[in-house]
């Protein structure tokens, strides 16, 4: 047939028209992405310009909390528009990709100049870094002790107090550390980053310069994570537009470039561990070709990738404890794709690196506990051996409590300081609760509440008093009666997490995918593990969601994308906290704080949970239909 026949020409015309339509859609998508990025940058710039209005010294009731939080939420919605528009292109061209990257850097750069919005953790990081950079342990003395003026004879504490007063900026940083009576909760790897950063800042630099330096280092780790995600997208032949999920994510930008949260350090190490595990899994040619043959003969390169994966995950654990939840998944994945020998080697390397990186903190915590126990034992002996009536009084005004043993004639026998600083990590793991939903439902149904109480009573308490008492009585066999509801609630959420983890591992060993698809599934499994872990936490600070966002790129359930704008609602809590008066909800009366904690939090989490369950059910249904 003649190639120029009307039939062929008509078909070619249709193809040309289709290509033109695709090119038009791609161009439109690129324009929408640029417009979204430009508006986002203007929003971030506005937040920075508003910085003096929400700086440290400004009271919450005078801060533009609603406006700034609204701007962050607006940028979050715009990032979803940018993601949608970028995916309209068949592939992201070189120009489009560099526009994406430049916007990601520009967003972060402008936020480096803004003061931390409604966050204070950065001051703790800087103080820890100053202490460590001078060769002292941050786990030994609390900031409250370092800021004290009592006549404590401990030579190391005296040196730390000298450091605290070396400049006005250093003293200001120390005075701004919140929860100052607690020793630090941050592990040694992060402490080394803090110390290295503080060591390069001139002693008499301004507080703003200290903040900028710390936030810059945190942001460099953050950008490193974005580079690793881009590498995975290229390696797995996925659309580079998915990089927007992380690189343009306003929650990531707010928590790292603006607030300087240390989580970027652990997130980077976890992503590096995931990258090297993917490289390890892809090292076998048969596996890459799509067969299910196990890796028989490990090469030197494979072992290097395995070692680096375990090394980085161990460093992540040494930066922030949460990466330990990935160990069973990494172990099972290596076992499933390779063999038990290499999975065991991975576990041993992680255990060694993680244990070594955590050792200084563990040793110092135990040393402090032993020191306190020794002081209390000696004090007890003094009391029992004295033939004078003794009164023991604790000072409520001194930055440190002093145990004074006095005779009835007020003659002082001794003045031995009892370290009142509380070990921060233990207190955090046992008691902290914030912005949670699932844990809150369990805890608030178990804890006793005065029946005469009429204000801030959770509206969702459904467990009757008899059942509540029975459950808490069982828990009281292990802890005090007051701590029983907390313990049982944690056991419930831990059980739910273990169940969810079990399902992930079950589907891992059941799966028949191989090659590229199995690598994507591994990254998706990482997301599900950390996402479920976050949702069951008693403390759901928004920046904890940054643990999951890098892996969200590889999860097929896109309902999770809605979590970012909803989690930013948390910052409205500071506005609710300042509300005067009382408010009615379903016949219950609340203060502003109670209204947020027991009502608004549901709007923050519940819609996403419902959407995730419905969408996941739809995916499963379609899979079953396709196999029929």
């Amino acid at each position: 047939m003649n190639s120029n026949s009307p039939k062929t020409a008509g078909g070619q015309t249709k193809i040309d028209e289709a290509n033109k339509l695709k090119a038009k859609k791609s161009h439109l998508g690129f324009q929408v992405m640029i417009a979204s990025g430009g508006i986002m940058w203007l929003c971030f710039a506005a937040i920075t310009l508003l910085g003096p209005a929400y700086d440290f010294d400004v009271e919450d009731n005078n801060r533009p909390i609603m406006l700034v939080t609204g701007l962050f939420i607006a940028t979050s919605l715009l990032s979803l528009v940018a993601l949608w528009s970028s995916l309209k292109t068949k592939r992201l061209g070189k120009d489009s990709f560099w526009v994406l990257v430049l916007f990601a850097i520009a967003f972060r750069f402008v936020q480096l100049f803004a003061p931390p919005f409604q966050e204070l953790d950065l001051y703790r990081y800087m103080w820890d870094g100053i202490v460590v950079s001078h060769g002292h342990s941050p786990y030994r003395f609390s900031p409250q002790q370092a800021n004290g003026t009592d006549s404590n004879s401990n030579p190391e504490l005296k040196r730390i107090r000298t450091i605290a007063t070396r400049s006005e900026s250093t003293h200001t940083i120390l005075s701004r550390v919140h929860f100052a009576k607690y020793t630090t909760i941050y592990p040694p790897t992060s402490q080394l980053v803090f110390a290295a950063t503080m060591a390069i800042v001139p002693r008499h630099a301004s507080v703003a310069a200290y903040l900028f330096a710390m936030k810059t280092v945190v942001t460099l780790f953050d950008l490193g994570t974005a580079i690793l995600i881009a590498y995975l997208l290229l390696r797995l032949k996925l659309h580079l537009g998915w990089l927007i999920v992380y690189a343009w994510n306003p929650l990531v930008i707010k928590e790292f470039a603006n607030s300087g949260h240390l989580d970027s350090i652990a997130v980077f190490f976890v992503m590096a561990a995931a990258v090297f595990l993917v490289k390890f899994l892809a090292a076998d040619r048969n596996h890459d070709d799509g067969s299910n043959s196990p890796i028989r003969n490990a090469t030197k390169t494979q072992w290097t990738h395995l070692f680096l994966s375990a090394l980085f995950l161990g460093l992540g654990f040494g930066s922030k404890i949460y990466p330990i939840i990935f160990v069973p998944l990494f172990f099972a994945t290596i076992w499933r794709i390779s063999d038990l020998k290499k999975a065991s080697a991975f576990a041993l390397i992680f255990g060694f690196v993680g244990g070594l990186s955590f050792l200084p903190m563990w040793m110092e915590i135990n040393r402090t506990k032993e020191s306190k126990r020794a002081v209390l034992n000696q004090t007890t002996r003094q009391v029992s051996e004295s033939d004078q009536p003794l009164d023991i009084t604790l000072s409520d005004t001194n930055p440190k409590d002093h145990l004074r043993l006095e005779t009835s004639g007020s003659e002082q026998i001794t003045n031995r300081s009892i370290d009142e600083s509380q070990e921060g990590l233990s207190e955090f793991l046992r008691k902290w609760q914030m912005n949670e939903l699932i844990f809150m439902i369990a805890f608030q149904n178990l804890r006793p509440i005065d029946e005469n109480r009429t204000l801030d009573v959770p509206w969702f308490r459904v467990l009757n008093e008899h059942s509540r008492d029975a459950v808490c009585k069982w828990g009281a066999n292990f802890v005090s009666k007051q701590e029983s509801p907390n313990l049982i609630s944690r056991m419930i959420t831990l059980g739910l997490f273990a169940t969810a983890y079990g399902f992930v591992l079950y589907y891992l060993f059941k799966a028949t995918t191989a090659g590229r698809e199995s690598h994507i599934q591994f990254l998706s499994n990482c997301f599900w593990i950390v996402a479920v872990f976050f949702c069951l936490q008693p403390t759901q600070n928004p920046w904890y969601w940054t643990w999951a966002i890098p892996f969200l790129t590889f999860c097929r359930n896109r309902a999770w994308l809605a979590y970012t704008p909803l989690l930013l609602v948390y910052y409205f809590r500071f506005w609710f906290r300042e509300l005067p008066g009382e408010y009615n909800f379903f016949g219950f009366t609340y203060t502003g704080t109670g209204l947020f904690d027991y009502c608004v939090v549901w709007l923050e989490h519940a819609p996403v949970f419902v959407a995730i369950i419905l969408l996941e059910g739809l995916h499963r249904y379609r899979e079953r239909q396709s196999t029929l």
Side-chain angles (χ1 to χ4, degrees):
M1 181 181 291
N2 191 321
S3 60
N4 293 322
S5 65
K7 185 176 180 181
T8 305
Q12 185 63 42
T13 301
K14 289 181 179 180
I15 293 173
D16 291 340
E17 289 177 353
N19 289 334
K20 287 180 180 179
L21 182 61
K22 288 180 181 178
K24 186 176 181 180
K25 286 183 177 179
S26 295
H27 182 65
L28 179 61
F30 179 61
Q31 288 181 321
V32 172
M33 186 181 79
I34 290 180
S36 300
I39 299 172
M40 286 177 66
W41 187 88
L42 290 175
C43 289
F44 286 125
I47 292 168
T48 299
L49 290 174
L50 287 167
Y54 58 81
D55 209 348
F56 182 88
D57 294 323
V58 180
E59 297 293 334
D60 276 357
N61 57 359
N62 292 323
R63 296 182 180 185
I65 294 173
M66 295 291 282
L67 175 58
V68 174
T69 303
L71 286 171
F72 276 122
I73 293 174
T75 58
S76 184
L77 298 175
L78 285 166
S79 72
L80 295 179
V81 173
L83 173 64
W84 172 80
S85 63
S86 70
L87 295 177
K88 285 295 181 181
T89 62
K90 186 176 181 181
R91 58 185 295 273
L92 207 62
K94 184 182 294 185
D95 293 340
S96 302
F97 175 73
W98 282 112
V99 167
L100 189 161
V101 170
L102 290 174
F103 267 122
I105 295 172
F107 298 153
R108 287 161 172 80
F109 180 74
V110 73
Q111 280 292 285
L112 288 175
F113 295 93
F117 177 64
Q118 299 303 124
E119 295 296 341
L120 299 173
D121 288 353
L122 199 55
Y123 294 102
R124 168 78 73 163
Y125 308 160
M126 292 188 293
W127 172 247
D128 284 357
I130 291 168
V131 170
V132 176
S133 66
H134 282 79
H136 300 288
S137 169
Y139 308 110
R140 191 166 301 170
F141 300 104
S142 68
Q144 188 178 72
Q145 292 172 278
N147 204 23
T149 57
D150 60 274
S151 57
N152 191 293
S153 60
N154 188 295
E156 185 176 10
L157 182 57
K158 286 183 176 180
R159 288 194 293 271
I160 291 176
R161 286 176 175 175
T162 301
I163 294 169
T165 56
R166 69 178 187 176
S167 71
E168 183 178 349
S169 295
T170 306
H171 188 264
T172 299
I173 289 169
L174 173 58
S175 66
R176 291 182 178 183
V177 175
H178 65 334
F179 300 113
K181 72 176 180 178
Y182 296 106
T183 55
T184 188
I185 66 173
Y186 305 116
T189 304
S190 290
Q191 295 291 344
L192 291 176
V193 175
F194 302 159
T197 306
M198 293 297 97
I200 62 176
V201 179
R203 177 179 300 185
H204 296 286
S206 65
V207 174
Y210 276 94
L211 285 168
F212 186 84
M214 193 73 250
K215 293 204 295 179
T216 298
V217 171
V218 166
T219 303
L220 289 175
F221 279 98
D222 165 36
L223 290 172
T225 300
I227 292 171
L228 293 173
I229 295 171
Y231 170 82
L232 286 172
L233 291 172
L234 286 169
R235 185 182 184 93
L236 300 175
K237 297 180 174 60
L238 296 174
H239 198 295
L240 280 172
W242 286 112
L243 182 59
I244 288 176
V245 172
Y246 181 88
W248 285 27
N249 194 297
L251 183 63
V252 171
I253 295 163
K254 190 269 171 212
E255 303 304 350
F256 294 157
N258 176 280
S259 297
H261 281 293
L262 68 88
D263 300 67
S264 72
I265 304 169
V267 169
F268 170 79
F269 285 133
V270 169
M271 283 308 298
V275 165
F276 280 106
L277 191 64
V278 167
K279 289 168 70 70
F280 167 79
L281 298 176
D284 180 68
R285 290 182 179 179
N286 290 330
H287 182 66
D288 271 345
D289 290 339
S291 77
N292 292 317
S293 302
I295 300 173
R296 300 292 183 185
N297 301 310
T299 64
K300 183 178 179 181
T301 301
Q302 285 177 288
W303 278 107
T304 300
H305 292 158
L306 185 72
F307 171 80
L308 289 173
S309 180
L311 171 67
F312 282 118
L313 195 62
L315 290 174
F317 173 67
S319 305
K320 193 149 189 173
I321 299 173
Y322 87 88
I324 199 171
I325 65 173
F326 291 108
V327 175
L329 176 62
F330 277 55
F331 179 90
T333 301
I334 297 169
W335 186 4
R336 165 72 177 80
I337 303 299
S338 180
D339 56 45
L340 183 59
K341 176 184 176 182
K342 287 184 262 309
S344 300
F346 173 89
L348 287 172
I349 297 167
F350 168 83
F352 177 78
V353 175
L356 192 64
S357 62
F358 213 82
L359 186 62
M361 185 177 190
W362 180 83
M363 290 179 62
E364 195 57 58
I365 289 172
N366 279 275
R367 176 186 177 280
T368 302
K369 287 180 178 179
E370 289 297 324
S371 177
K372 290 181 180 180
R373 190 176 294 114
V375 170
L376 288 172
N377 288 339
Q378 184 174 351
T379 302
T380 302
R381 285 196 300 271
Q382 286 180 309
V383 172
S384 62
E385 293 171 1
S386 175
D387 58 358
Q388 299 287 340
L390 301 173
D391 294 324
I392 302 176
T393 61
L394 289 177
S395 169
D396 293 324
T397 57
N398 202 309
K400 289 189 57 165
D401 276 349
H402 289 77
L403 185 60
R404 299 182 185 278
L405 306 178
E406 299 177 346
T407 65
S408 56
S410 298
E411 180 184 354
Q412 183 176 325
I413 296 178
T414 185
N415 177 13
R416 183 176 298 278
S417 294
I418 299 298
D419 185 0
E420 76 143 5
S421 68
Q422 300 183 41
E423 195 273 295
L425 182 61
S426 174
E427 291 294 307
F428 175 81
L429 294 175
R430 287 171 52 238
K431 297 180 179 180
W432 249 249
Q433 296 176 36
M434 177 58 68
N435 201 45
E436 81 283 15
L437 180 60
I438 297 174
F439 182 90
M440 177 180 69
I441 294 171
F443 179 74
Q444 294 297 343
N445 272 281
L446 289 173
R447 79 181 183 101
I449 293 181
D450 187 353
E451 58 185 25
N452 296 320
R453 177 175 166 181
T454 59
L455 194 63
D456 288 344
V457 177
W459 60 270
F460 46 86
R461 279 169 64 91
V462 295
L463 203 64
N464 61 55
E465 186 176 354
H466 176 74
S467 301
R468 187 181 305 121
D469 289 344
V471 174
C472 292
K473 184 178 180 180
W474 175 83
N477 293 320
F478 307 97
V479 294
S480 67
K481 185 178 179 181
Q482 291 76 17
E483 293 182 349
S484 180
N486 186 288
L487 171 68
I488 297 170
S489 300
R490 289 173 187 268
M491 291 175 66
I492 291 170
T493 51
L494 181 61
L496 291 172
F497 178 63
T499 302
Y501 213 131
F503 274 109
V504 170
L505 296 181
Y506 170 75
Y507 283 112
L508 168 65
F509 282 95
K510 184 182 177 182
T512 57
T513 56
R516 169 179 172 272
E517 291 302 318
S518 68
H519 303 158
I520 295 173
Q521 188 58 49
F522 160 68
L523 296 168
S524 177
N525 288 341
C526 287
F527 171 79
W528 279 102
I529 291 299
V530 71
V532 173
F533 181 71
F534 171 82
C535 293
L536 295 172
Q537 284 290 292
T539 306
Q540 285 185 254
N541 293 322
W543 55 94
Y544 292 176
W545 185 238
T546 62
W547 306 346
I549 293 173
F551 294 111
L552 178 54
T553 304
F554 309 98
C555 177
R556 68 178 180 178
N557 194 321
R558 302 308 177 189
W560 287 104
L561 292 170
Y563 221 168
T564 291
L566 288 172
L567 283 172
L568 285 165
V569 170
Y570 161 82
Y571 288 99
F572 285 131
R573 186 179 189 273
F574 297 94
W575 180 81
F576 274 86
R577 195 171 64 182
E578 299 300 317
L579 286 178
E582 299 174 358
Y583 305 87
N584 188 272
F585 181 82
F586 285 150
F588 291 82
T589 305
Y590 295 102
T591 61
T593 302
L595 186 65
F596 185 93
D597 289 343
Y598 299 136
C599 305
V600 178
V601 161
W602 284 78
L603 300 177
E604 193 179 341
H605 300 286
V608 175
F609 294 168
V610 172
I612 288 162
I613 293 170
L614 292 176
L615 196 56
E616 194 64 25
L618 181 62
H619 284 319
R620 299 293 178 187
Y621 173 77
R622 287 175 175 173
E623 285 179 352
R624 287 196 298 270
Q625 291 297 108
S626 65
T627 57
L628 294 178

